[in-house]
């Protein structure tokens, strides 16, 4: 049962992040995901200071607010003429620094561990069960991640067409009357939400991996957005399952192993993807060369 | 205040201050070039990618030696830059996603190795996690020597090859036309970025080292249009942040050096955004107000003239 809960947690994180990651990768905003996952830290810290406990709801709220502030600040700097990567770098490092200071100044009073925020501890997930009327309803994390996954899934399904057009052609979307800015912030809000929900299980930096790597791998495998979303979720699920057993085998960090498996899958797709892989493109080129030589001979 | 004076009098602290000063200058200078070359977030990716290198260096040697850690992280940093290059060059994936992939996968491998080390029960590993946030005050004198020397070397190289680096950053095509070895110079710049990151991790930690490269350089850009001046200002801001961070975290307990250093740099950035001549917020508002005034004045003159014209025209008619 322990194995099951941990793998399910990993899969839920991977699926939520995988769906959102596809849009981030397509909109060339992968590093914004990285920025958000770091800069929600002060939001979490403030929520801890106010609430005094690991009240998930307050924490989610604080982090989501900070995520939106991050996106807003990045855009503000960008509009004032700064390169986008530089504005991302300035904003997230400053916010993360504030978060670390808040936590280390108050570390005695609140039960919040920096290591936990950074690396997460998925192995403890099954121990923290939701008890309701004396019934054990399973780990809290599962409920929280499940709810986040549903929210993300429902939002994407409802506005699939809008998100799709915004991802591929924002100018066309604006011309069609779609509120591009609204969907931009909606997407970023979802990213912040799932980042925080995933925090306790896989940690800040590995959320970035789940956001970017499965989506990028899926991007190498298909040209259709629907399939890309599906592949991304599948790759995430494979990585969490595989990562868990590898971690068990080597007695190492579960979250770290999950990302490592993700990385291996990416390298495989990079080399052997039937349409975009290095090897297949190379053999295709060789075949074409042979073909043209034959033609020339004839 | 007396504690502050005590710190200044402490020779050990003087060395640490000197080290963070040199480090600040070095990363500010290198950061100016990475900013111009639009590679600001490379520092972030390289810092995370250093972790497996550090872990492998520790696993192989079994000792905590800054020199070995630096070699390990330089090797994994170079592999990471090659990975980013390969992904962007040979697939449809863009640079930002490539950075993210390398960053998180390398870091994931690093975390895996680090937990492996921790679980192996080696009593010597306790300082490894200091790498996450950096703690300048806990550095040994030899570490500071190393940090200072490497930073000094970086500054010197930038000084000697300033003209070449400048040309390569602004106009690689032209530089190639001049007969420069552009590829080699770019490699050198990249290598220097890796080294600046690796040295910076010591003082401010993995997550925040990107700020040392980005924030001083961007702040400096607000004040000037000349690369030479920008590099100097970035160096000064970097040095100021390094020293402030070390001093504050040294005198107050429970404050890690990295975040304080970064916030010092961020506050300099805010000052630059508001007060810089020409590009600053105040200068912009002032200019806008003056233009508006000018337009209003000319407009009212115009209308007056126009009215006068119609009146005269009316008389003539």
């Amino acid at each position: 049962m322990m194995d099951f809960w941990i793998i399910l947690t990993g899969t839920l994180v991977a699926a939520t992040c995988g769906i959102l990651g596809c849009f981030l990768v397509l909109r060339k905003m992968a590093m914004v995901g990285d920025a958000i996952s770091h800069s929600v830290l002060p939001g979490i810290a403030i929520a801890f200071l106010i609430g005094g406990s690991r009240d998930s709801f307050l924490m989610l709220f604080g982090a989501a607010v900070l995520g939106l502030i991050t996106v807003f600040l990045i855009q503000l700097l960008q509009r004032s003429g700064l390169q986008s990567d530089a504005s991302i770098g300035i904003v997230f490092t400053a916010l993360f620094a504030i978060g670390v200071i808040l936590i280390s100044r108050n570390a005695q009073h609140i039960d919040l561990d920096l290591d936990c925020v950074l690396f997460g501890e998925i192995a403890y997930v099954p121990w923290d069960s939701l008890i309701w009327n004396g019934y054990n309803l399973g780990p809290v994390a599962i409920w929280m991640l499940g709810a986040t996954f549903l929210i993300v899934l429902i939002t994407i399904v409802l506005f699939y067409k809008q998100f799709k057009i915004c991802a591929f052609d924002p100018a066309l979307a604006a011309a069609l009357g779609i509120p591009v800015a609204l969907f931009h912030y909606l997407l970023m809000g979802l990213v912040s939400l799932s980042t925080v929900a995933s925090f306790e299980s896989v940690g800040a930096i590995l959320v970035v991996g789940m956001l970017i790597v499965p989506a990028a791998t899926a991007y190498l495998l298909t040209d259709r957005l629907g399939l890309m979303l599906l592949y991304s979720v599948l790759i995430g699920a494979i990585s969490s399952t595989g990562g868990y057993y590898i971690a068990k085998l080597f007695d190492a960090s579960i979250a770290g192993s999950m990302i490592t498996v993700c990385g291996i899958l990416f390298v495989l797709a990079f080399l052997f993807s039937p349409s975009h892989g290095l090897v297949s493109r190379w053999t295709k080129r060789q075949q074409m060369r042979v073909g043209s030589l034959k033609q020339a001979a004839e | 205040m007396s504690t502050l004076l005590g710190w200044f009098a402490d020779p050990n602290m003087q060395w640490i201050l000197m080290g963070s000063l040199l480090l600040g200058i070095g990363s500010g200078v290198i950061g100016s070039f990475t900013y111009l070359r639009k590679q600001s977030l490379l520092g972030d990716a390289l810092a995370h990618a250093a972790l497996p290198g550090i872990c492998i260096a520790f696993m192989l040697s079994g000792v905590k030696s800054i020199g070995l850690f630096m070699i390990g992280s330089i090797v994994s940093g170079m592999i990471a830059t090659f990975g980013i290059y390969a992904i962007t060059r040979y697939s449809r994936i863009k640079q930002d996603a490539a950075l993210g992939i390398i960053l998180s996968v390398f870091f994931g491998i690093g975390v895996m190795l680090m937990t492996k080390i921790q679980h192996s029960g080696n009593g010597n590993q306790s300082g490894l996690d200091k790498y996450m946030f950096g703690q300048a005050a806990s550095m040994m004198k030899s570490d500071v020597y190393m940090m200072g020397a490497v930073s000094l070397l970086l500054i010197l190289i930038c000084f000697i090859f300033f003209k070449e680096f400048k040309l390569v950053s602004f106009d690689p095509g032209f530089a190639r036309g001049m007969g420069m070895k552009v590829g080699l110079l770019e490699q050198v710049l990249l290598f220097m970025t890796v080294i600046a990151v690796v040295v910076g991790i010591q003082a401010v930690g993995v997550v925040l080292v990107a700020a040392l490269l980005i924030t001083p350089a961007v702040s400096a850009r607000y004040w000037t249009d000349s690369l030479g001046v920008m590099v100097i200002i970035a160096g000064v801001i970097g040095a100021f942040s390094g020293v402030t961070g070390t001093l504050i975290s040294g005198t107050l307990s429970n404050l890690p050096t990295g975040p304080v250093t970064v916030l010092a740099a961020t506050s300099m950035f805010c000052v630059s955004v508001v007060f810089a001549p020409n590009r600053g917020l105040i200068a912009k508002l002032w200019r806008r107000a003056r233009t508006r005034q000018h337009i209003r004045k000319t407009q009212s003159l115009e209308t007056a003239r126009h009215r006068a014209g119609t009146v005269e025209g009316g008389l003539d008619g």
Side-chain angles (χ1 to χ4, degrees):
Chain A
M1 204 55 190
M2 290 278 291
D3 295 4
F4 172 75
W5 286 130
I6 293 175
I7 292 174
L8 184 61
T9 311
T11 307
L12 280 174
V13 170
T16 314
C17 292
I19 292 175
L20 295 171
C22 288
F23 293 99
L24 289 183
V25 168
L26 287 175
R27 298 195 59 178
K28 302 187 187 68
M29 289 174 39
M31 289 313 270
V32 178
D34 178 40
I36 289 178
S37 67
H38 285 79
S39 58
V40 292
L41 188 63
I44 293 178
I46 292 170
F48 267 105
L49 286 178
I50 295 174
S53 70
R54 285 166 170 265
D55 178 9
S56 312
F57 225 67
L58 196 62
M59 207 170 90
L60 277 182
F61 181 73
V65 169
L66 249 294
L68 292 180
I69 290 178
T70 310
V71 178
F72 175 74
L73 285 178
I74 291 174
Q75 279 197 326
L76 196 71
L77 288 183
Q78 238 169 332
R79 201 163 299 153
S80 79
L82 223 58
Q83 285 165 24
S84 80
D85 57 342
S87 29
I88 291 174
I90 289 178
V91 171
F92 95 78
T93 50
L95 289 173
F96 188 80
I98 293 174
V100 174
I101 288 181
L102 278 178
I103 291 178
S104 43
R105 283 305 278 173
N106 301 288
Q108 303 96 324
H109 313 302
I110 52 176
D111 175 32
L112 181 62
D113 194 358
L114 266 181
D115 282 0
C116 164
V117 172
L118 273 185
F119 306 124
E121 200 34 278
I122 201 168
Y124 296 152
V125 160
W127 299 110
D128 189 13
S129 305
L130 186 69
I131 310 283
W132 187 68
N133 274 353
Y135 291 104
N136 187 344
L137 297 176
V140 178
I142 299 282
W143 284 95
M144 212 162 89
L145 286 167
T148 316
F149 177 67
L150 275 183
I151 292 173
V152 169
L153 195 67
I154 290 170
T155 317
I156 297 289
V157 167
L158 275 181
F159 301 110
Y160 182 71
K161 210 187 283 173
Q162 282 86 340
F163 275 118
K164 187 174 175 178
I165 299 175
C166 287
F168 286 105
D169 197 340
L172 174 69
L176 287 174
I178 298 171
V180 179
L182 178 73
F183 280 102
H184 175 75
Y185 278 101
L186 187 59
L187 183 66
M188 292 302 137
L190 290 178
V191 171
S192 337
L193 195 72
S194 30
T195 305
V196 192
S198 323
F199 245 175
E200 282 194 293
S201 36
V202 297
I205 292 146
L206 302 173
V207 172
V208 183
M210 284 300 187
L211 274 172
I212 302 173
V213 187
T217 313
Y219 189 42
L220 290 178
L221 294 175
T222 175
D223 286 332
R224 293 187 47 187
L225 181 61
L227 275 180
M228 183 175 162
L229 290 168
L230 192 68
Y231 285 160
S232 176
V233 172
L234 274 179
I235 291 164
I238 296 171
S239 314
S240 356
T241 319
Y244 176 70
Y245 286 107
I246 286 183
K248 229 178 164 182
L249 193 66
F250 290 106
D251 185 26
S253 152
I254 297 172
S257 311
M258 287 176 174
I259 299 294
T260 308
V261 174
C262 255
I264 295 170
L265 291 178
F266 173 79
V267 172
L268 287 180
F270 180 67
L271 293 176
F272 302 112
S273 154
S275 47
H276 298 281
L278 214 56
V279 173
S280 59
R281 274 191 305 172
W282 187 76
T283 45
K284 224 175 273 170
R285 206 174 303 150
Q286 287 305 72
Q287 277 168 359
M288 266 162 67
R289 192 169 296 161
V290 171
S292 60
L293 277 179
K294 262 183 195 160
Q295 258 181 355
E298 280 164 13
Chain B
M1 201 60 211
S2 60
T3 43
L4 199 64
L5 283 177
W7 272 111
F8 271 120
D10 180 10
N12 198 32
M13 192 61 189
Q14 284 169 359
W15 278 112
I16 290 174
L17 276 180
M18 198 63 198
S20 41
L21 183 98
L22 284 173
L23 171 74
I25 300 178
S27 47
V29 169
I30 302 281
S32 304
F33 291 106
T34 48
Y35 174 64
L36 283 180
R37 293 161 54 75
K38 299 189 170 58
Q39 290 179 329
S40 291
L41 285 175
L42 190 64
D44 188 31
L46 291 178
H48 287 86
L51 191 65
I54 293 167
C55 290
I56 291 174
F58 179 78
M59 282 168 125
L60 290 180
S61 67
V63 288
K64 264 193 311 196
S65 140
I66 301 298
L68 282 176
F69 284 1
M70 276 178 66
I71 294 171
S73 26
I74 288 172
V75 171
S76 62
M78 292 315 282
I79 297 174
T81 38
F82 175 74
I84 294 167
Y85 168 79
I87 292 174
T88 40
R89 171 79 178 73
Y90 295 109
S91 79
R92 65 205 305 219
I93 289 169
K94 301 290 178 298
Q95 171 135 24
D96 63 322
L99 282 174
I101 292 167
I102 293 291
L103 180 157
S104 53
V105 172
F106 271 64
F107 197 78
I109 296 172
V111 170
M112 214 177 135
L113 293 174
M114 200 157 87
T115 43
K116 187 93 192 87
I117 294 172
Q118 279 164 352
H119 291 175
S120 70
N122 189 332
N124 206 8
Q125 44 83 10
S126 55
L128 272 183
D129 53 334
K130 278 272 181 286
Y131 259 89
M132 309 293 22
F133 301 111
Q135 194 57 298
S138 74
M139 270 190 290
M140 316 266 277
K141 203 168 170 185
S142 56
D143 305 346
V144 180
Y145 278 135
M146 177 90 88
M147 209 171 91
V150 173
S151 306
L152 206 60
L153 193 70
L154 288 183
I155 298 166
L156 265 178
I157 296 176
C158 276
F159 184 71
I160 295 170
F161 293 104
F162 183 74
K163 213 192 275 176
E164 283 81 2
F165 287 160
K166 182 178 175 178
L167 205 52
V168 167
S169 304
F170 277 114
D171 197 342
F174 182 65
R176 200 166 287 129
M178 297 268 293
M180 278 181 191
K181 291 198 169 68
V182 174
L184 180 71
L185 284 168
E186 279 176 343
Q187 282 300 315
V188 172
L189 269 177
L190 214 56
F191 187 60
M192 285 168 67
T193 314
V194 173
I195 293 181
V197 166
V198 168
V199 178
I201 292 176
Q202 263 294 303
V204 300
V206 162
V207 186
L208 291 169
V209 78
L212 277 192
L213 286 177
I214 302 172
T215 313
V218 176
S219 320
R221 181 71 185 87
Y222 273 87
W223 296 89
T224 174
D225 283 331
S226 133
L227 179 65
V229 183
M230 177 180 160
V231 166
I232 293 172
I233 297 178
V236 170
I237 294 177
F240 165 80
S241 327
V243 170
T244 314
T246 316
L247 273 181
I248 292 182
S249 81
T251 41
L252 290 174
S253 60
N254 273 341
L255 271 189
T257 320
V260 185
T261 306
V262 170
L263 285 186
T266 312
S267 47
M268 291 304 279
F269 170 74
C270 294
V271 169
S272 309
V273 168
V274 177
F275 294 108
N278 278 328
R279 279 168 210 273
L281 216 58
I282 291 181
K284 262 185 198 161
L285 288 178
W286 166 249
R287 221 168 26 232
R288 199 173 296 159
R290 257 195 13 199
T291 330
R292 199 169 292 153
Q293 212 174 18
H294 182 73
I295 290 172
R296 204 172 293 146
K297 209 181 269 172
T298 44
Q299 253 176 357
S300 56
L301 266 177
E302 204 95 308
T303 42
R305 210 173 282 150
H306 191 67
R307 270 198 203 124
T310 46
V311 170
E312 279 163 18
L315 275 178
D316 278 344

